[in-house]
Amino acid sequence: MAAFSVRPALPNDGSFLADMVVEAANWRSGGIRPRPTVLSDPVCRGYVAGWQRPADRGVIAVDDGGRAVGAAWYRLFAAGAAHGFVAVGVPEVIIGVTPLWRAQGVGRALMQALADTARTAGFSRLTLSVEHGNFAETLYRSEGFTVVETHAGRDTMVRSLR
Ligand SMILES: CC(C)(COP(=O)(O)OP(=O)(O)OC[C@H]1O[C@@H](n2cnc3c(N)ncnc32)[C@H](O)[C@@H]1OP(=O)(O)O)[C@@H](O)C(=O)NCCC(=O)NCCS
């Protein structure tokens, strides 16, 4: 298995996080939503705009040359501003891994590191949103997320950090 390590996300990782929002929006094989189209969507843009705000935290997977290959991060949102909103004070997770690095354990390592980060920051739950049919839902279930709402072809999933 290829070697990678995980480090905290930094303020200058915003552009890579935007890349990962585009990957997440194009999760279907053959997905072709261009970057400008994805990032002109207010919800997608809201996942990265102004990174890194004070409560934003993330983790970056890097290869042995220090190049970013995946990211998971969370932000706090107001009601209606993101797909996975459940309550004020419950951060929403976004995750993406570059295509060549998928199915090699990067996504799971990022989810686990981000949960540790959120727990340390004092949060008791995490939320996320996943479109129906995305195998990522299996990963989320195995990391303790359960479906709390289904709407418009998406599941909102929440996990406890306690
Ligand atoms: C979803 C994603 C973040 C998962 O990251 P990853 O590094 O590929 O996942 P991992 O290698 O850690 O695998 C996690 C689990 O998913 C399973 N899995 C990985 N790729 C899979 C695939 N193509 N089909 C089905 N299951 C798969 C693995 O079997 C693994 O389970 P295991 O540990 O029991 O073997 C990544 O594939 C990705 O960025 N996909 C495109 C963007 C996306 O969908 N983002 C999420 C939007 S909600």
Side-chain angles (χ1 to χ4, degrees):
M1 193 175 278
F4 66 90
S5 57
V6 176
R7 63 160 174 82
L10 302 169
N12 64 6
D13 286 315
S15 172
F16 182 71
L17 300 192
D19 292 346
M20 296 301 99
V21 169
V22 175
E23 292 294 344
N26 282 302
W27 63 269
R28 284 185 183 83
S29 71
I32 47 154
R33 292 178 65 195
R35 182 185 174 100
T37 305
V38 172
L39 296 178
S40 66
D41 174 84
V43 170
C44 289
R45 194 170 60 244
Y47 288 128
V48 287
W51 179 267
Q52 179 175 29
R53 296 182 191 139
D56 293 344
R57 292 289 181 276
V59 286
I60 306 283
V62 294
D63 68 13
D64 54 14
R67 290 172 290 266
V69 300
W73 68 102
Y74 64 71
R75 300 195 111 165
L76 292 164
F77 292 96
H83 289 303
F85 180 88
V86 289
V88 170
V90 181
E92 180 165 337
V93 174
I94 307 95
I95 184 169
V97 174
T98 55
L100 285 176
W101 277 84
R102 289 181 192 158
Q104 297 176 69
V106 174
R108 186 179 299 283
L110 289 171
M111 289 300 286
Q112 293 178 348
L114 191 68
D116 289 345
T117 301
R119 198 179 289 112
T120 301
F123 292 107
S124 57
R125 290 189 291 165
L126 289 172
T127 185
L128 57 78
S129 174
V130 58
E131 287 184 270
H132 292 167
N134 190 340
F135 80 85
E137 184 158 338
T138 310
L139 166 63
Y140 304 150
R141 283 184 193 280
S142 70
E143 289 298 323
F145 286 84
T146 56
V147 176
V148 297
E149 190 186 342
T150 297
H151 176 70
R154 311 184 70 99
D155 286 337
T156 298
M157 304 182 77
V158 172
R159 72 158 286 181
S160 169
L161 296 167
R162 297 230 159 93

